[in-house]
């Protein structure tokens, strides 16, 4: 099993560590039930996610959200935009880049960054004036991101965590400064299990919790909804279908067993059930793990507003 995991992960690493497609970001989705020209140009076709259950509470109006992150955010971005529009009436801009980590979105990283200056976190905040900034970073740990200066988790766990902590603090400060008298609320997305080094993601999630608490920001535990009950940091390929997934068979991939797939058998890191490609793009097929995470992030954004 360990060898099978490694083979799948090495294939996935190519996407997590690859340079982003410069045509892929940012995507701005207005709070209306139609796609904008930008969306049509930059986002791969994605099946329409089903509407969430009706609520007696009216949707929040005049809410603006910016979403940035790595390849997990890249594949999630279209479905998350749909969920934010439906549940919260949100205006939405996404600018994820595959293979990135926190330092790529810091201003001042120059040519070492995989993210262009126009899409740095602070630049997006100045341009879009969002109410909420959602940060989803799995925590690239292999040294593919130049701005990490070769610091990897395997080589030095302490240096990796120290650097990641410092970058989380700097990113929070830059977002706050860019917001001026309209500082956006940050929502840190907690990640699901790492099948190779399970303790790494647990430490990174603790780092996000500490940063959010220290700066008065919020968390979205999207990783919780893609793990087994009571087993938060054990990787699984399939989980029991939720009531919603059972009622919508396209999201319950093995109804006979009452199970749904979260990952492809050849990709243990991503949640898109379509094969990865050399050009990063939003997930083009219905994927239960992505919908689960998007709804949890949307719930957290609504609570943080």
């Amino acid at each position: 099993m360990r060898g099978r995991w490694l083979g799948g992960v090495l294939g996935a690493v190519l996407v997590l560590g690859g340079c982003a497609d410069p045509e892929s970001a940012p995507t701005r989705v207005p709070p209306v039930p139609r796609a904008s020209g930008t969306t049509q140009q930059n986002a791969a076709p994605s099946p329409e996610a089903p509407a969430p259950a009706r609520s007696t509470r009216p949707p929040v109006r005049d809410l603006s959200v910016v979403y940035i992150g790595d390849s997990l955010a890249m594949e999630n971005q279209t479905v998350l935009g749909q969920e934010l529009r439906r549940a919260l009436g949100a205006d939405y801009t996404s600018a994820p880049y595959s293979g990135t980590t926190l330092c790529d979105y810091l201003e001042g990283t120059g040519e070492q960054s995989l993210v262009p200056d126009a899409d740095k976190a602070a630049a997006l905040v100045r341009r879009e004036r969002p109410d909420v900034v959602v940060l989803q970073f799995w925590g690239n740990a292999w040294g593919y991101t130049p701005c990490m200066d070769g610091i990897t988790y395997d080589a030095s766990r302490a240096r990796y965590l120290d650097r990641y902590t410092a970058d989380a603090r700097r990113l929070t400060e830059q977002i706050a400064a860019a917001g001026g008298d309209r500082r956006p609320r940050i929502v840190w997305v907690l990640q699901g299990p790492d099948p190779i080094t399970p303790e790494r993601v647990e430490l990174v999630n603790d780092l996000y919790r500490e940063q959010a608490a220290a700066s008065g920001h919020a968390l979205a535990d999207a990783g919780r909804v893609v793990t087994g009950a009571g087993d938060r940091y054990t990787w699984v390929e399939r989980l029991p279908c939720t009531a919603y997934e059972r009622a919508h068979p396209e999201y319950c991939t093995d109804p006979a067993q009452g199970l749904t797939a979260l990952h492809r058998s050849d990709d243990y890191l991503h949640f898109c059930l379509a094969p990865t490609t050399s050009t990063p793009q939003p997930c083009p097929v219905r994927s239960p793990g992505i919908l689960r995470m998007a709804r949890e992030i949307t719930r957290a954004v609504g609570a943080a507003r």
Side-chain angles (χ1 to χ4, degrees), residues 131-242:
D131 302 292
V132 177
V133 176
V134 178
L135 306 176
Q136 181 162 16
F137 292 90
W138 185 84
N140 189 321
W142 299 293
Y144 292 111
T145 305
C147 64
M148 283 292 287
D149 300 320
I151 298 172
T152 66
Y153 183 80
D154 287 340
S156 176
R157 180 180 306 185
R159 288 187 68 206
Y160 170 84
L161 292 172
D162 286 348
R163 175 60 184 274
Y164 215 67
T165 299
D167 287 345
R169 186 179 302 115
R170 287 181 61 200
L171 192 60
T172 299
E173 292 169 351
Q174 289 190 2
I175 289 171
D181 58 1
R182 187 184 172 184
R183 295 175 55 182
R185 194 82 186 277
I186 295 173
V187 174
W188 292 92
V189 179
L190 302 183
Q191 302 303 296
D194 178 343
I196 298 301
T197 53
E199 75 286 350
R200 188 196 64 81
V201 162
E202 188 169 0
L203 292 169
V204 167
N205 282 348
D206 286 345
L207 185 158
Y208 292 158
R209 289 188 183 95
E210 291 168 6
Q211 181 59 40
S215 53
H217 292 292
L219 301 167
D221 195 356
R224 176 184 57 81
V225 299
V226 290
T227 53
D231 205 7
R232 176 65 175 78
Y233 288 103
T234 297
W235 183 92
V236 291
E237 185 174 333
R238 302 194 300 172
L239 280 177
C241 297
T242 63

Side-chain angles (χ1 to χ4, degrees), residues 14-276:
L14 295 177
V15 177
L16 275 168
C19 293
D21 172 13
E23 296 293 329
S24 64
T27 297
R28 187 172 187 274
V29 185
V32 292
R34 61 181 177 82
S36 68
T38 303
T39 304
Q40 292 169 351
Q41 177 182 357
N42 292 333
S46 177
E48 188 74 4
R54 290 184 178 274
S55 170
T56 56
R57 297 177 61 188
V60 176
R61 298 298 178 187
D62 300 322
L63 172 66
S64 176
V65 179
V66 163
Y67 180 48
I68 60 176
D70 54 24
S71 61
L72 296 183
M74 174 65 74
E75 66 183 10
N76 290 351
Q77 62 180 313
T78 298
V79 174
L80 179 59
Q82 291 168 350
E83 292 301 309
L84 287 167
R85 290 201 310 275
R86 287 195 178 103
L88 303 176
D91 185 67
Y92 171 72
T93 300
S94 61
Y97 285 85
S98 293
T100 56
T101 191
L102 298 177
C103 61
D104 286 291
Y105 282 89
L106 290 170
E107 290 192 317
T109 47
E111 293 181 358
Q112 283 192 301
S113 175
L114 300 178
V115 175
D117 288 346
D119 293 337
K120 302 294 191 185
L124 287 167
V125 169
R126 286 191 291 268
R127 184 166 71 244
E128 302 296 336
R129 309 299 293 172
D131 302 292
V132 177
V133 176
V134 178
L135 306 176
Q136 181 162 16
F137 292 90
W138 185 84
N140 189 321
W142 299 293
Y144 292 111
T145 305
C147 64
M148 283 292 287
D149 300 320
I151 298 172
T152 66
Y153 183 80
D154 287 340
S156 176
R157 180 180 306 185
R159 288 187 68 206
Y160 170 84
L161 292 172
D162 286 348
R163 175 60 184 274
Y164 215 67
T165 299
D167 287 345
R169 186 179 302 115
R170 287 181 61 200
L171 192 60
T172 299
E173 292 169 351
Q174 289 190 2
I175 289 171
D181 58 1
R182 187 184 172 184
R183 295 175 55 182
R185 194 82 186 277
I186 295 173
V187 174
W188 292 92
V189 179
L190 302 183
Q191 302 303 296
D194 178 343
I196 298 301
T197 53
E199 75 286 350
R200 188 196 64 81
V201 162
E202 188 169 0
L203 292 169
V204 167
N205 282 348
D206 286 345
L207 185 158
Y208 292 158
R209 289 188 183 95
E210 291 168 6
Q211 181 59 40
S215 53
H217 292 292
L219 301 167
D221 195 356
R224 176 184 57 81
V225 299
V226 290
T227 53
D231 205 7
R232 176 65 175 78
Y233 288 103
T234 297
W235 183 92
V236 291
E237 185 174 333
R238 302 194 300 172
L239 280 177
C241 297
T242 63
Y244 180 88
E245 290 161 352
R246 290 194 297 272
H248 296 80
E250 63 272 27
Y251 284 95
C252 187
T253 59
D254 186 357
Q257 298 294 320
L259 298 173
T260 196
L262 301 178
H263 304 274
R264 289 174 56 86
S265 61
D266 59 353
D267 186 342
Y268 296 93
L269 299 180
H270 298 93
F271 293 87
C272 182
L273 298 184
T276 56

